Every structure is written in structure tokens, then in C-alpha cells.
Amino acid sequence: MTIKITVWNEYRHEKIDKHVGDVYPQGIHGAIAGFLSYCEDFEVGTAYLDQPEHGLTDEVLNNTDVLIWWGHMAHGDVKDEIVEKVYDRVLEGMGMVFLHSAHASKLFCKLNGTKTGRLSWRDHGGELERLFTVNPGHPIMNGLPDYFEVPKTEMYSEYFDIAQGAELITISWFPGGEVFRSAFTFTRGKGRIFYLKPGHEEYPIYYQQEIQKMIINGVYYVKPNCDMTQVDYRVNIKLPRK
Ligand code: ZN
């Protein structure tokens, strides 16, 4: 089984902020693609905002089973026609993984069905985050403990404006007493979507094993479960008359 993955990143903050560039010298997409490429099943490519068509040409999307999305300061620069195109791909079965501040991306909001994906947040130089598993039977928690901690993170808190009915996987706790639905999945059309909160650009969170494991499990979980080349979701199926 080969799963073709494209890791998409805004890739701007790394270039203008030395600290962020030092944490992720190859870009956040480079760090994520790096650990994913250790998995034999994965064929990994990358794309970023300032490439033509944001790196998401038809050729790239035709070769993508799972798209991973990281963005935070330039959601508005993502062209609507690209959002539409990727949205359609998800309905056809392409898997999506949204990381961290991708909750406010046009694509996440459109798929989720809420307008802003808003939440409360605080970045005070790195706080502890403890992720509690609330769904131990979920495939994304395979090999993960009942809880684990990210030592330095940006705090995200409820209320988080997501559609009701998401399948919750973890809830995060922060020392200020805040809680947050930090990992969940939902489906749209034939596509499976996974959101995972940790991944603020100032801290080396994508080098942490538990986070890498959740992303790897997430890729397996959202990968298309049917051969998309054989199925056209636009075709109306005629049922026999009784
Ligand atoms: Zn952040």
C-alpha cells in the first residue's frame, strides 16, 4: 500500500522570523515531510503558499491521497478558486489533516461549516499542554498513552467554533484551567478530515514523538477508503424500480 501525501505550509513565518526559522530550518512542511518519509508506506511531497497555484496544481492533487495543511498568518492570501478545487477533492475522498492554526483557514471553515473556526488563545512564552485521550479505541490513538504532555505550547481554549458531531479524540488541559477539543475527526462527502491542535511555530512540537505518531496514524485514518479513479461521485446511481 502506498499513500501519497502532500504537506502544505504557508511557509512565510519561517522566512521572516529568525527564531521560527531556527526551530524549522527546512520549514514546518520540511519537518513534517521529514518524519513521514520514514514510513515505508508513504510517498511524501510538499507545497507552499507562494508557489504558483499555491503548489496545488491538478497534477499535484491528482497525486495526493492525503493533504496536510499548516497556515496561520496568511489565510486570506489563499485564493478562493484553489480552496474550491481542494474542497471538491475532499468530497471525492481525499483525506485532510489540519494542524494547529489551520482551524482558521478558508478550507477548514468551509469543510467544517462554521464561519470563522474561532477560539480563545494565549501565547505567554510557552505553557504546558496535557492531552487526554477521550477515545482510546480510535485508530489515531494507536500506540499512544492515556495522556501525554507538550512541554511548551500556545494555549488554545474553548469555545472553539466547530460543527457539533465531530468525533472527539483528545481534550487538552492547560495550567490556567482552560480546556480545548484538541483532536477530532469528521467526514464531508467521501472525505475524512482530522484536526490536531499542537504545532505552534515557535516550539519544536513536530519533533515530538507522540505528535508525530498522531499525524502518522491520522494519515492512515483519513486516506481514501475507495479507489478514487474508479468512482465518480457526480454520477447518479439509478436504483431499480420495485
Ligand atoms: Zn500558533
Side-chain angles (χ1 to χ4, degrees):
M1 168 184 45
T2 300
I3 304 172
K4 295 175 195 161
I5 305 167
T6 301
V7 184
W8 189 92
N9 180 17
E10 213 171 75
Y11 194 33
R12 287 201 180 156
H13 212 147
E14 296 95 319
K15 291 188 274 191
I16 58 168
D17 183 320
K18 187 180 174 324
H19 171 66
V20 177
D22 286 347
V23 177
Y24 291 111
Q26 316 298 325
I28 289 172
H29 56 299
I32 294 169
F35 70 79
L36 290 175
S37 359
Y38 284 103
C39 302
E40 273 180 20
D41 290 341
F42 297 170
E43 220 175 88
V44 191
T46 60
Y48 58 90
L49 181 63
D50 291 323
Q51 290 177 311
E53 295 183 57
H54 308 325
L56 298 172
T57 60
D58 286 347
E59 196 191 342
V60 168
L61 290 173
N62 286 340
N63 279 295
T64 301
D65 298 316
V66 175
L67 180 62
I68 298 179
W69 195 277
W70 197 101
H72 76 144
M73 62 196 283
H75 294 313
D77 291 354
V78 179
K79 291 190 191 112
D80 290 340
E81 60 261 34
I82 303 292
V83 173
E84 285 296 324
K85 190 165 76 165
V86 177
Y87 178 83
D88 286 346
R89 296 286 173 143
V90 178
L91 298 187
E92 289 167 13
M94 185 178 77
M96 278 299 313
V97 178
F98 287 100
L99 296 174
H100 188 54
S101 35
H103 69 88
S105 63
K106 290 180 184 176
L107 185 59
F108 178 86
C109 293
K110 188 170 170 69
L111 283 163
N112 195 249
T114 60
K115 194 173 177 186
T116 62
R118 65 172 273 272
L119 45 76
S120 302
W121 61 277
R122 174 179 66 228
D123 186 19
H124 276 185
E127 296 179 56
L128 178 89
E129 174 173 0
R130 183 175 295 156
L131 291 93
F132 286 93
T133 303
V134 294
N135 198 341
H138 198 286
I140 289 178
M141 293 317 286
N142 268 349
L144 283 138
D146 291 345
Y147 74 87
F148 67 92
E149 292 173 350
V150 175
K152 277 189 166 196
T153 194
E154 178 184 32
M155 191 281 292
Y156 275 13
S157 167
E158 300 289 336
Y159 175 65
F160 183 14
D161 185 22
I162 54 171
Q164 298 299 321
E167 191 175 17
L168 283 186
I169 301 171
T170 64
I171 291 176
S172 285
W173 169 90
F174 300 87
E178 299 87 357
V179 293
F180 186 71
R181 289 167 286 173
S182 49
F184 56 86
T185 63
F186 58 100
T187 62
R188 292 292 180 263
K190 287 183 184 167
R192 289 182 175 187
I193 297 132
F194 169 42
Y195 172 81
L196 178 62
K197 180 265 176 198
H200 186 61
E201 68 283 352
E202 290 181 68
Y203 314 114
I205 293 170
Y206 294 121
Y207 301 111
Q208 185 172 338
Q209 257 184 1
E210 291 95 339
I211 299 298
Q212 295 181 348
K213 180 86 179 142
M214 282 186 81
I215 295 172
I216 290 165
N217 287 347
V219 166
Y220 281 108
Y221 183 74
V222 302
K223 75 172 171 54
N225 55 11
C226 58
D227 183 349
M228 287 188 287
T229 59
Q230 302 298 314
V231 182
D232 185 341
Y233 82 104
R234 291 158 297 191
V235 172
N236 290 314
I237 298 167
K238 279 196 180 145
L239 295 171
R241 286 180 185 278
K242 279 195 176 168

